[in-house]
Amino acid sequence: MVPEGAPGPIVVIGDVMVDRYITGSVSRISPEAPVPVLVHGDERIVPGGAANVAANAAALGARVTLVGLVGRDREADLLNAALAAHPGIVLDLLVRDPGRPTITKTRVMSGRQQIVRIDAETVAPPGPQMLEALIGAVAEAVRGARVVVLSDYAKGVLSDNVIAAAIAAAQAAGVPVVVDPKRRTFEAYRGASLVTPNRSELAAATGLPDTTDAEAARAAEAASAQFGGDVLVTRAEKGMTLWRRGGRVLHVPAKAREVFDVSGAGDTALAALAVALSAGQPLEACVHLANAAAAVAVGKLGTAVVTRAELLAALEEAGTPGIPPGALLETDEAARVFAEWRAAGARVVFTNGCFDLMHPGHVALLEAAAREGDRLVVALNTDASVKRLKGEGRPVQDEAARARVMGALRCVDLVVLFDEDTPLRLIETLKPDVLVKGADYREDQVVGADVVKAYGGRVALVPLVAGRSTSALVAKAKG
Ligand SMILES: Nc1ncnc2c1ncn2[C@@H]1O[C@H](COP(=O)(O)OP(=O)(O)O)[C@@H](O)[C@H]1O
Ligand SMILES: O=P(O)(O)OC[C@@H](O)[C@H]1O[C@@H](OP(=O)(O)O)[C@@H](O)[C@@H](O)[C@@H]1O
């Protein structure tokens, strides 16, 4: 699940902020008014809002271009200096607007206790000149990006025009757009691949509850209908729920070991997700990574970045395997991955066969199998097992070759081998939720059907594509 490929360039467009922390200690009440007296200790500036997303993505190894609006003021200089501490962030396309202050959130802290927050901000949309500059910056930034992130805090940067420009440029470049929304409806995000509301943003957009996993999935589906893409709901202590077009759902429980400060956890999650996407990871794997990164972020005080080293350490500690999609695994390793998937609420589908010369009939069966749940595992007969079943001369391709081809299919999550005549032992060990075979079998003929049903799983028979078979291909090749 840790990105295998290198992260690609990312663009973050949105409401850039300065988070200022004034810390000290309080030991008395003022004689002038019933307020605490803070003895000033320290002051620090950290990137906030969209700048926090950019800082987190850079800390995870991506090159990030940040697009947004700052003022022509001291805070903008302080923000630039704070961002310069994160190598890999390009700041040339931050637009300076003399007509507005740099959004600054000042927290006054006594130790870990926040006493007051003081906001300096203008939320009005930018004037025509600044809007033009922003749209120009968006067009330039999106060129060459692998993922575009819109980080909306409803402060005015992500106006309809800017959103439309970003999505159009991303679509033209064929790159995904991920949106952290603040709008009351997601219609303006049409064309985005993924929108990541938190609980209140989801409730505001849909009016639906998300207390249970099932409710969260239903609300996410309703949100998806507003713009046509996938939805990832970040559900604070309940973790995350991913709803994908076509109805596949993934629930990932929160992993945090200690929670100090949840502010900015959504920014970290968004950044981790974008970095994993830019490295070519499947969306489900990106969500696991985002959830793990958020768990580290909530253990830190204040707005914070999570580094690649911290994320790797957290994943290792949690025993999360770095399994690439479609990997060929030993049974015990597969069982460990199954347990992880289950813990994350995924329904695991199992199917088996020789899959000697892969043809469109196989692909249709596997795609149909994948639609029966959230993860698909394919058990392949070993060479010895195929030979026993089909006779001398088979398989045409050895097990390593068959596993390699099988694992390369987008719908296949894992491949395992079995040496017996049937996969019964494997089914008993792995306990899949759904057992799939082609509809040339009757349910009572499917090996393992009774085992799966006995523990509450189910059997699905999927239609076959007529006229396709490996044996026919072999016969044809022989002339
Ligand atoms: N109280 C918490 N306990 C454990 N994990 C949390 C908690 N709050 C947030 N998280 C983690 O951070 C992610 C993002 O937080 P959330 O509050 O949902 O979004 P946002 O920061 O955008 O409001 C959650 O999906 C979860 O993984
Ligand atoms: O929306 P408002 O409150 O005006 O401004 C945003 C702040 O509440 C903070 O929101 C946090 O994100 P999360 O909201 O925790 O994801 C972070 O982005 C902080 O950097 C930021 O200061």
Side-chain angles (χ1 to χ4, degrees), residues 179-404:
V179 185
D180 194 359
K182 256 301 182 292
R183 291 182 169 234
R184 289 192 69 87
T185 135
F186 296 166
E187 272 141 32
Y189 306 132
R190 188 161 290 281
S193 315
L194 179 73
V195 174
T196 66
N198 65 15
R199 304 179 77 174
S200 56
E201 289 153 359
L202 182 72
T206 65
L208 296 171
D210 83 317
T211 312
T212 65
D213 286 354
E215 284 173 342
R218 271 197 296 276
E221 181 175 5
S224 162
Q226 296 178 2
F227 73 100
D230 297 334
V231 173
L232 175 68
V233 189
T234 66
R235 299 169 65 208
E237 74 286 353
K238 292 201 167 141
M240 299 180 175
T241 291
L242 173 68
W243 190 91
R244 301 204 69 177
R245 279 159 297 177
R248 277 169 77 138
V249 178
L250 173 69
H251 301 290
V252 186
K255 275 207 157 116
R257 297 180 62 209
E258 43 193 7
V259 179
F260 279 135
D261 187 344
V262 299
S263 166
D267 295 342
T268 299
L270 180 66
L273 187 134
V275 171
L277 259 190
S278 78
Q281 290 286 300
L283 185 55
E284 281 78 2
C286 300
V287 169
H288 282 286
L289 209 74
N291 192 54
V296 179
V298 297
K300 295 186 175 199
L301 194 61
T303 312
V305 297
V306 172
T307 64
R308 190 173 160 84
E310 287 171 326
L311 181 54
L312 289 173
L315 288 171
E316 235 156 66
E317 202 179 314
T320 309
I323 306 288
L328 171 64
L329 295 188
E330 295 295 335
T331 307
D332 56 351
E333 217 183 344
R336 190 162 59 93
V337 175
F338 262 53
E340 290 246 351
W341 287 345
R342 287 263 168 53
R347 287 161 305 147
V348 186
V349 182
F350 180 105
T351 194
N352 62 279
C354 304
F355 299 100
D356 193 359
L357 297 179
M358 193 73 95
H359 56 69
H362 289 142
V363 175
L365 173 107
L366 294 164
E367 286 173 340
R371 285 195 290 273
E372 294 292 330
D374 305 299
R375 299 281 179 182
L376 175 62
V377 176
V378 181
L380 289 178
N381 297 66
T382 59
D383 292 348
S385 166
V386 178
K387 192 165 160 186
R388 278 198 307 275
L389 292 171
K390 311 249 174 191
E392 269 312 323
R394 298 285 300 276
V396 178
Q397 301 195 87
D398 65 20
E399 60 201 34
R402 288 181 289 123
R404 177 76 181 85

Side-chain angles (χ1 to χ4, degrees), residues 15 17-21 46-53 103-105 107 117 119 121 123 151-155 180 182 198 201 261-268 303-304:
D15 295 303
M17 301 175 194
V18 168
D19 285 355
R20 173 188 278 125
Y21 289 87
V46 286
N52 184 36
V53 179
I103 296 176
T104 304
K105 313 264 158 183
R107 281 109 175 153
R117 190 177 107 178
D119 286 9
E121 66 183 21
V123 295
S151 169
D152 195 354
Y153 278 84
K155 307 296 184 198
D180 194 359
K182 256 301 182 292
N198 65 15
E201 289 153 359
D261 187 344
V262 299
S263 166
D267 295 342
T268 299
T303 312

Side-chain angles (χ1 to χ4, degrees), residues 106-131:
T106 302
R107 281 109 175 153
V108 179
M109 313 280 296
S110 172
R112 289 181 169 169
Q113 179 65 48
Q114 194 173 131
I115 300 173
V116 67
R117 190 177 107 178
I118 306 157
D119 286 9
E121 66 183 21
T122 300
V123 295
Q129 223 183 330
M130 287 301 135
L131 183 62

